[in-house]
């Protein structure tokens, strides 16, 4: 991708962290999809992603984040006592009574937590290893969206207008209620992922992040977002966030998808498994949000991108 000033939250690039979870991310329901003629409709022009949230960074905050060092072990905190009840906490993925954590209950010094510190605090490594964690429910996705609008940006509106629920993705062509050509599925013992809902031709648009992705205006807002969530949601958010510039040579921004697109796994050179899975959907550059099929993809085949 392009250069620019990196807005650093992590001790290293979040995309390297997401590799740990993407190998454990898959999902579990089939999508009855009638998508034939609509997939050849209008492609999005411009970068509507910029309209979903303020993309400007706070310079003082970014400078402070750049001071975080990967060897700052003195700032590491023992995982909270709540981590011991991880198994029971998984039940919250089907609980409709999710509650935000008030700011006075945030850990001391949360404003300076790095990406690694956040994952350590919530004991996210344990959740990443859970290959049987359920797919997020509609209530889960909506809870995370409400949290984003309450904590980060209350001007975001497109979610309310989209007829496609986050459990199916989003309207890949704005105003046309047809989801992307994939569905989420849980493969027991292997995790969650996305799978082609129909045959996808080489060169076809598979995913459009310019429609579905949202931006954190700065790293401090991301911290406040994750610490406001229950632990399992915090870990998922930490695994789903990534950094990229939005234009060639532009600054890096923190982005997240709060719909099933977040479950797309990597099939890059470091992620081949015993089944020989390879990349089949990638953007045209490091600053693009549209993912195109690099080859023909059969119905039921897993959609894989390349985090590298």
């Amino acid at each position: 991708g392009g250069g620019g000033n990196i807005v650093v939250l992590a001790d290293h690039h979040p995309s390297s962290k997401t590799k740990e979870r993407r190998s454990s991310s898959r999902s579990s329901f089939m999508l009855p999809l009638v998508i034939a003629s609509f997939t050849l409709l209008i492609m999005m022009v411009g970068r509507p992603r910029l309209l979903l949230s303020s993309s400007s960074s706070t310079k003082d905050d970014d400078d402070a984040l750049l001071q975080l060092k990967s060897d700052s072990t003195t700032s590491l905190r023992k995982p909270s006592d709540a981590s011991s009840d991880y198994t029971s906490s998984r039940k919250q993925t089907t609980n409709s009574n999710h509650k935000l954590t008030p700011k006075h209950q945030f850990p001391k010094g949360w404003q300076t937590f790095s990406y690694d510190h956040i994952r350590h605090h919530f004991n996210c490594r344990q959740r990443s290893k859970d290959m049987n964690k359920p797919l997020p429910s509609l209530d889960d996705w909506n809870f995370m969206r409400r949290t984003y609008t309450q904590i980060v940006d209350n001007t975001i509106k497109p979610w309310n207008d989209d007829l496609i629920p986050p459990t199916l993705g989003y309207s890949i062509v704005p105003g046309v209620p047809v989801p992307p050509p994939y569905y989420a599925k849980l493969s027991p013992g292997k995790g969650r992922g996305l799978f082609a809902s129909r045959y996808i031709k080489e060169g076809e648009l598979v995913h459009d992040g310019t429609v579905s992705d949202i931006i954190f205006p700065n790293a401090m807002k991301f911290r406040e977002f994750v610490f406001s969530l229950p632990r399992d949601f915090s870990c998922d958010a930490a695994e789903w966030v990534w950094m990229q510039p939005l234009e060639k040579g532009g600054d890096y921004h923190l982005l997240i998808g709060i719909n099933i697109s977040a479950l797309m796994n990597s099939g890059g050179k470091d992620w081949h498994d015993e089944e020989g899975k390879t990349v089949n959907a990638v953007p045209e550059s490091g600053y693009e949000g549209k993912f195109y099929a690099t080859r023909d993809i059969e119905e039921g085949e897993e959609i894989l991108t390349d985090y590298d």
Side-chain angles (χ1 to χ4, degrees), residues 76-95:
L76 289 175
R77 289 165 172 76
K78 181 180 179 181
S80 62
D81 293 338
S83 64
S84 62
D85 67 355
Y86 169 75
T87 302
S88 62
S89 75
R90 286 178 53 193
K91 297 177 181 177
Q92 63 187 210
T93 56
T94 56
N95 184 346

Side-chain angles (χ1 to χ4, degrees), residues 231-247:
R231 187 176 72 255
D232 285 358
F233 289 90
S234 299
C235 289
D236 283 346
E239 291 171 337
W240 295 339
V241 74
W242 73 94
M243 294 196 306
Q244 74 171 69
L246 302 179
E247 58 186 4

Side-chain angles (χ1 to χ4, degrees), residues 55-123:
S55 61
S56 59
S57 299
T58 303
K59 185 67 167 62
D60 291 342
D61 179 49
D62 298 343
D63 288 345
L65 292 171
L66 288 169
Q67 303 305 314
L68 296 178
K69 304 297 182 182
S70 59
D71 61 353
S72 55
T73 53
T74 54
S75 298
L76 289 175
R77 289 165 172 76
K78 181 180 179 181
S80 62
D81 293 338
S83 64
S84 62
D85 67 355
Y86 169 75
T87 302
S88 62
S89 75
R90 286 178 53 193
K91 297 177 181 177
Q92 63 187 210
T93 56
T94 56
N95 184 346
S96 60
N97 298 314
H98 306 313
K99 297 185 184 301
L100 295 182
T101 301
K103 192 173 287 189
H104 70 268
Q105 292 182 14
F106 287 7
K108 183 178 180 181
W110 67 270
Q111 299 93 333
T112 61
F113 269 40
S114 71
Y115 181 81
D116 280 347
H117 295 163
I118 291 171
R119 286 181 54 84
H120 180 84
H121 173 78
F122 288 111
N123 196 17

Side-chain angles (χ1 to χ4, degrees), residues 53-236:
S53 171
S54 167
S55 61
S56 59
S57 299
T58 303
K59 185 67 167 62
D60 291 342
D61 179 49
D62 298 343
D63 288 345
L65 292 171
L66 288 169
Q67 303 305 314
L68 296 178
K69 304 297 182 182
S70 59
D71 61 353
S72 55
T73 53
T74 54
S75 298
L76 289 175
R77 289 165 172 76
K78 181 180 179 181
S80 62
D81 293 338
S83 64
S84 62
D85 67 355
Y86 169 75
T87 302
S88 62
S89 75
R90 286 178 53 193
K91 297 177 181 177
Q92 63 187 210
T93 56
T94 56
N95 184 346
S96 60
N97 298 314
H98 306 313
K99 297 185 184 301
L100 295 182
T101 301
K103 192 173 287 189
H104 70 268
Q105 292 182 14
F106 287 7
K108 183 178 180 181
W110 67 270
Q111 299 93 333
T112 61
F113 269 40
S114 71
Y115 181 81
D116 280 347
H117 295 163
I118 291 171
R119 286 181 54 84
H120 180 84
H121 173 78
F122 288 111
N123 196 17
C124 292
R125 187 174 181 82
Q126 189 175 18
R127 179 163 175 79
S128 295
K129 291 181 177 179
D130 181 2
M131 300 296 183
N132 295 307
K133 53 182 175 286
L135 293 175
S137 67
L138 179 60
D139 181 70
D140 295 339
W141 290 120
N142 286 337
F143 171 69
M144 292 189 75
R145 288 179 169 190
R146 288 195 303 270
T147 303
Y148 181 90
T149 56
Q150 180 175 333
I151 301 299
V152 181
D153 183 359
N154 62 10
T155 66
I156 191 166
K157 300 297 181 188
W159 287 333
N160 299 329
D161 302 327
D162 196 348
L163 295 179
I164 299 299
T167 49
L168 300 184
Y170 56 94
S171 294
I172 194 166
V173 176
V176 179
V178 176
Y182 54 70
Y183 61 91
K185 185 177 78 171
L186 171 66
S187 300
K190 293 186 177 181
R192 307 178 290 192
L194 299 179
F195 297 82
S197 56
R198 58 171 176 80
Y199 174 75
I200 302 172
K201 291 186 63 176
E202 179 180 355
E204 187 177 339
L205 180 67
V206 176
H207 166 63
D208 191 348
T210 67
V211 175
S212 67
D213 298 341
I214 55 174
I215 302 168
F216 288 95
N218 53 60
M220 193 63 70
K221 277 298 182 183
F222 174 72
R223 291 189 184 102
E224 188 175 354
F225 174 74
V226 293
F227 283 117
S228 296
L229 295 167
R231 187 176 72 255
D232 285 358
F233 289 90
S234 299
C235 289
D236 283 346

